[in-house]
Amino acid sequence: MEKKEEPQLTGLQKVVRACQYGVISSLERFFTWYGCLVATYPKTAIVCCILATLGGGLGLLRFYEEGDAAALVIPTYSEFRRNIDWLDNNFPREVRVHSIVYTAENVLTPKVIRTIYRQRRALDELAIGEKTFEDLCIQVPILKFPDEGFSACNRKEEKASTVDSWADFDDFAEFDEEFESFGENETGDGLFAPLLGLLMPQTDVNIDVLENWSDEFYPDLYCGCVEATETACFEQNIVELWGDQGSYNEVSDIKIAGLTEKEILDTINNKNVSQIFLKDFNFKDLLGDVKRNSKGEIISAGAVEMKFFTTVNITAVKLYGTATRGEKIDMESFNFEGLMIDLLKDRSWFPAGVTSYVNCQRQFFDSFVGQTFKDADKLGGGYILVFIYVNVMLSKMNFVEQRIWLSVIGIMSVVMGMILGYGLCSLFGLFYSAAHTVIPFILLGIGIDNIFVITQTFNTLETTSTPAPLAERFGQTMKHAGVAVSVTTFTDVIAFFVGSNTVLPGLQSFCIYAAVAIFAIYALQVTHFVAWFSLDVRRQNAHRDGCLCCYTHKNFKSYEFSKGSLLNKAFAYIGVLITKKLVQALILILTGGFLVGGIWGALSLTQEYQPEWLLPPESEIAKWFSIKEQYFPSNGEPGFIMIKQIDIAREFGEIEHLVDQLAAPDQKWNIEKISPWHPAFRDYVNKFKKTNDSFETLIRNETYFRDKFTQFLYSPRGGIFQVLSNFTDKLLAFRFSQIFGSLIL
């Protein structure tokens, strides 16, 4: 019979094959040498691995969790990220919003109102150092004239000249008469009503007279009255309906104690006036799951929300740094929020049927960043199950050939690799996040697979090759197993490093952590595990017990039944089974079904991200999000346009053009409402101008524009826009020396 000639290879094929053989043969030679070396000096190899793990683990001193959701999903060098950073620098978030949702079968009952009131009163008693809730909350004006009368409106400093004191103000009498004729404050009208529009929707109050005062008596008398106005902690809370002239006191205690359900329903339906701010407010918006009668009146509600607001000391943040990663907050405010959380989560005294869901802003970051060890119980359970599985697969059913400690070493090699990999990543400043908590499970699966490859290769060579010295046997084992685990490991590492090229910072960090840890586990298993494996083989050859290694079994013989492998028998049966046509047809049908289902699922994928998805489902804040969505569904999110380095006077027309584009009919599907500031400023200038010149002509005068724009920002209608502007120079005496700055539309 003639020998079949091999096909001729092209030049390229020869080069590829030569490279393939060269790489594989080089790896085989290396691992043959390396296996012999480790088996010859196992204790040295073990010590080196432990020292490497400890050294690399020191990098964990720089380990940190990223608590800023934006830093996880927004590309570092993207335009949006630059805008966020610019916004943080120019408009730092000084206001902290907190919310509590109370639920019951009907929240419009005395027991629920008293529960809310008791918690609200307890907030006033909280203190940290010398600071109380009133010191750290957002203070807004109460709509009543200063108790001291007009004497409180004197803005003059003691050291200033008294020639032009408030008492000699020419128009004082006229101001006094106008105020008295304007009426009492009980209706919710007052000098400072519009200033509450900073945080509260404006109601239908007649503020034309107030606006006239802001022009006629500006700056000394008008601004002095603004400064002297009483303030209260801003909140949106149903118990405001039973406050007393701007505060919660003994009178409000009596009101709340004597409430009946009928009075509550009458108040919520007909008397929506805050007794804290003495201003109309639609408290019905704070109710969820509302039920009405045939007349449209509210008769019950399943939920009610309380909102309150605290501040951040931005100066302290700049001087001493933030108290926690992911958000800018000073240490005092951070600790105070901790006290608030403890207070509001105490429901031990709540009446039956009443519960609450708390969302203090700090809770989001506490839950978000505290997840490093959140799955420690699951991870520990998983490692125990894998240990049992590994021990069953590696051991034989006798005292000598069982490998309990080798199984422990196998698991330990994975843990050591994880410590080394995490330490190296932390050393180079890579952050950890909630998504990273899945990495230990990935490492466990990959690491244990390498152990099986090494041990199975050794066992196969033991039964098929001639006896040889121990070091040489491990050299031959690693010649085959080392190449196999190297190929699979490098494939995994390369795949994760390729994935690290993503623009998403969170996914990038995840991939690098996984790649480095996989390689660290690989290096430890071909060294640390192999070294212990060689010692375990020596133990078996000496017939020492697999559990109590110091005990030697004399005249040991391996029984025949202990040599079998249940896994080999199982796969042998499966191999025979899949040769049958019925089974093959079933496999093809299932494969086709999975393929169709996978394609359908891939085509149905949608891209969406919500930071709350990363929160532990059992956390308080996650439950709040769920209840909030259930009772108070949102139709959209507010948006802002920030303009930096703007000369408002010269570029006023450009601002108007931009707003006109946003308000165009073709944007109605996406933008519900626009609230620009510039129409109010135009109206203010036109209303009080002393000449017939046009608005555009007047504001070209830089001095006129500076004065009038500052005056507008402290007028009743313009006050709501103060928080939307940030100037390069501070406002002093309600004037600013430079208008070039930043502005929000």
Side-chain angles (χ1 to χ4, degrees):
M1 188 173 178
E2 294 184 2
K3 189 176 180 181
K4 213 172 184 180
E5 293 185 5
E6 293 185 4
Q8 293 292 325
L9 300 177
T10 64
L12 181 60
Q13 289 175 326
K14 290 179 180 179
V15 172
V16 172
R17 181 163 293 185
C19 291
Q20 181 182 7
Y21 289 155
V23 171
I24 293 177
S25 60
S26 297
L27 284 174
E28 287 179 343
R29 287 195 298 272
F30 169 76
F31 278 109
T32 299
W33 167 80
Y34 194 70
C36 291
L37 180 67
V38 171
T40 303
Y41 305 102
K43 295 180 181 179
T44 303
I46 291 170
V47 171
C48 289
C49 288
I50 294 174
L51 292 177
T53 302
L54 293 176
L58 292 176
L60 291 173
L61 295 174
R62 297 192 60 189
F63 177 88
Y64 75 95
E65 285 186 87
E66 181 56 73
D68 186 358
L72 297 178
V73 298
I74 301 176
T76 307
Y77 301 104
S78 67
E79 183 178 0
F80 187 59
R81 181 68 200 186
R82 289 196 298 271
N83 290 340
I84 288 179
D85 293 338
W86 177 86
L87 180 62
D88 282 342
N89 293 330
N90 291 275
F91 295 93
R93 289 168 286 186
E94 298 183 57
V95 178
R96 308 271 291 180
V97 183
H98 314 287
S99 166
I100 311 170
V101 176
Y102 297 88
T103 62
E105 184 176 352
N106 180 15
V107 296
L108 300 178
T109 58
K111 71 174 183 179
V112 177
I113 299 300
R114 291 182 189 122
T115 300
I116 300 173
Y117 183 73
R118 178 175 170 181
Q119 283 205 318
R120 175 60 186 86
R121 290 283 274 165
L123 278 176
D124 289 334
E125 298 174 5
L126 274 184
I128 180 168
E130 297 181 356
K131 296 286 186 71
T132 65
F133 177 70
E134 289 191 359
D135 297 315
L136 297 173
C137 71
I138 298 291
Q139 295 279 345
V140 295
I142 298 173
L143 303 188
K144 61 179 182 180
F145 202 68
D147 293 337
E148 297 85 353
F150 288 107
S151 62
C153 299
N154 183 15
R155 312 179 61 241
K156 301 292 185 180
E157 297 181 2
E158 293 181 2
K159 295 181 180 180
S161 172
T162 58
V163 175
D164 296 322
S165 66
W166 69 270
D168 298 324
F169 193 72
D170 293 339
D171 295 319
F172 176 82
E174 183 182 350
F175 185 95
D176 194 10
E177 291 174 5
E178 290 190 23
F179 182 82
E180 295 298 332
S181 65
F182 190 63
E184 300 291 335
N185 290 311
E186 296 175 358
T187 62
D189 300 342
L191 179 60
F192 313 107
L195 298 182
L196 283 181
L198 288 169
L199 295 169
M200 298 177 66
Q202 290 195 31
T203 57
D204 295 331
V205 295
N206 181 11
I207 61 174
D208 290 334
V209 174
L210 304 179
E211 197 169 48
N212 288 333
W213 292 345
S214 74
D215 178 70
E216 190 171 354
F217 304 111
Y218 178 87
D220 291 323
L221 186 60
Y222 176 77
C223 295
C225 289
V226 171
E227 291 178 333
T229 303
E230 292 183 38
T231 60
C233 291
F234 176 66
E235 60 187 302
Q236 293 176 354
N237 188 354
I238 194 172
V239 298
E240 292 177 44
L241 292 167
W242 298 279
D244 178 59
Q245 289 294 307
S247 66
Y248 299 110
N249 51 34
E250 293 79 4
V251 176
S252 60
D253 291 347
I254 296 172
K255 290 181 182 179
I256 294 290
L259 275 179
T260 64
E261 186 170 340
K262 181 180 179 181
E263 290 174 339
I264 294 172
L265 292 176
D266 179 61
T267 303
I268 198 69
N269 282 300
N270 305 309
K271 302 174 183 178
N272 267 229
V273 177
S274 170
Q275 297 304 312
I276 298 299
F277 305 106
L278 306 178
K279 172 180 172 146
D280 291 344
F281 179 75
N282 189 6
F283 289 94
K284 299 174 185 178
D285 291 341
L286 301 179
L287 301 176
D289 190 25
V290 175
K291 294 180 175 58
R292 300 176 183 270
N293 59 19
S294 58
K295 298 179 182 179
E297 296 175 330
I298 295 176
I299 57 175
S300 71
V304 61
E305 183 177 16
M306 176 177 80
K307 292 181 181 179
F308 56 97
F309 306 82
T310 57
T311 61
V312 172
N313 187 340
I314 295 298
T315 303
V317 172
K318 292 179 179 179
L319 290 176
Y320 309 111
T322 182
T324 180
R325 294 190 63 92
E327 56 179 346
K328 293 181 179 179
I329 181 172
D330 61 286
M331 184 60 71
E332 187 175 56
S333 300
F334 182 78
N335 291 334
F336 187 78
E337 286 189 18
L339 297 178
M340 287 198 305
I341 293 170
D342 293 338
L343 170 68
L344 298 173
K345 288 174 66 176
D346 180 15
R347 308 180 186 91
S348 58
W349 54 271
F350 274 27
V354 180
T355 189
S356 66
Y357 301 88
V358 181
N359 176 10
C360 288
Q361 195 163 333
R362 169 181 163 174
Q363 283 178 278
F364 186 91
F365 295 93
D366 284 350
S367 300
F368 191 74
V369 302
Q371 301 187 65
T372 304
F373 304 106
K374 71 165 187 174
D375 292 325
D377 54 340
K378 301 181 183 67
L379 186 62
Y383 272 58
I384 292 173
L385 290 175
V386 171
F387 163 73
I388 295 173
Y389 174 70
V390 170
N391 188 47
V392 170
M393 299 309 301
L394 297 185
S395 302
K396 294 182 180 179
M397 298 180 66
N398 57 66
F399 289 108
V400 173
E401 294 177 313
Q402 60 175 315
R403 288 172 169 162
I404 294 177
W405 295 115
L406 187 62
S407 300
V408 172
I409 293 299
I411 302 295
M412 187 184 298
S413 297
V414 175
V415 176
M416 291 171 63
M418 194 185 311
I419 294 173
L420 178 56
Y422 280 28
L424 292 175
C425 291
S426 300
L427 182 64
F428 287 96
L430 292 172
F431 63 79
Y432 197 84
S433 72
H436 290 56
T437 55
V438 73
I439 293 179
F441 298 96
I442 297 175
L443 300 179
L444 179 60
I446 294 175
I448 295 305
D449 182 62
N450 292 342
I451 292 173
F452 287 143
V453 172
I454 295 172
T455 55
Q456 187 61 40
T457 302
F458 182 85
N459 293 336
T460 301
L461 291 175
E462 284 283 275
T463 58
T464 60
S465 60
T466 56
L470 182 66
E472 185 178 335
R473 284 150 58 192
F474 270 95
Q476 290 299 311
T477 296
M478 294 306 296
K479 175 182 177 180
H480 300 285
V483 173
V485 298
S486 296
V487 171
T488 56
T489 298
F490 292 157
T491 301
D492 296 333
V493 170
I494 291 172
F496 277 111
F497 270 123
V498 170
S500 68
N501 288 316
T502 178
V503 296
L504 301 178
L507 183 56
Q508 182 183 69
S509 175
F510 176 92
C511 290
I512 295 176
Y513 261 90
V516 174
I518 288 172
F519 186 81
I521 290 173
Y522 157 78
L524 287 171
Q525 285 178 333
V526 299
T527 307
H528 184 257
F529 177 76
V530 170
W532 280 104
F533 190 12
S534 68
L535 293 177
D536 189 71
V537 172
R538 288 185 174 92
R539 175 195 62 77
Q540 288 191 16
N541 292 339
H543 295 172
R544 294 200 298 273
D545 190 86
C547 185
L548 301 174
C549 301
C550 58
Y551 179 77
T552 302
H553 292 271
K554 299 179 180 179
N555 302 320
F556 169 76
K557 290 183 180 180
S558 179
Y559 296 103
E560 193 65 31
F561 74 88
S562 67
K563 297 180 180 180
S565 173
L566 295 176
L567 190 62
N568 289 340
K569 292 178 180 178
F571 276 104
Y573 176 75
I574 293 173
V576 174
L577 193 63
I578 61 176
T579 60
K580 300 183 181 300
K581 292 184 178 181
L582 180 62
V583 176
Q584 292 173 344
L586 181 61
I587 292 173
L588 290 175
I589 292 172
L590 290 175
T591 303
F594 289 140
L595 177 62
V596 171
I599 294 174
W600 175 80
L603 295 175
S604 303
L605 282 175
T606 57
Q607 187 175 0
E608 188 176 354
Y609 171 76
Q610 295 292 340
E612 58 264 28
W613 292 346
L614 297 177
L615 297 171
E618 69 279 2
S619 65
E620 176 82 16
I621 185 69
K623 295 176 182 177
W624 179 90
F625 275 109
S626 177
I627 290 294
K628 178 75 172 178
E629 180 65 24
Q630 177 183 346
Y631 289 104
F632 305 94
S634 173
N635 294 324
E637 298 294 335
F640 302 90
I641 295 179
M642 296 76 169
I643 304 174
K644 61 182 179 180
Q645 298 300 321
I646 183 174
D647 184 343
I648 302 174
R650 291 184 175 84
E651 300 180 59
F652 196 86
E654 297 298 324
I655 296 174
E656 288 188 310
H657 178 66
L658 173 61
V659 174
D660 290 342
Q661 287 182 312
L662 294 174
D666 59 348
Q667 294 294 330
K668 290 296 184 183
W669 67 274
N670 189 37
I671 302 175
E672 181 181 4
K673 183 179 68 172
I674 300 175
S675 301
W677 59 270
H678 70 278
F681 176 58
R682 177 186 285 274
D683 293 341
Y684 188 83
V685 171
N686 288 332
K687 183 175 182 179
F688 299 112
K689 64 183 181 181
K690 308 300 183 183
T691 67
N692 292 326
D693 294 336
S694 67
F695 170 80
E696 288 75 15
T697 301
L698 290 171
I699 65 172
R700 289 195 189 102
N701 184 315
E702 188 173 342
T703 301
Y704 178 87
F705 173 74
R706 291 177 181 176
D707 290 342
K708 192 57 68 174
F709 191 64
T710 304
Q711 189 174 330
F712 165 73
L713 289 178
Y714 288 90
S715 70
R717 286 193 172 95
I720 62 174
F721 301 112
Q722 287 181 29
V723 295
L724 304 183
S725 55
N726 182 24
F727 301 98
T728 53
D729 290 334
K730 292 184 178 179
L731 292 167
L732 299 175
F734 298 111
R735 299 184 184 276
F736 59 91
S737 60
Q738 180 56 268
I739 62 169
F740 298 99
S742 309
L743 195 67
I744 298 180
L745 293 180

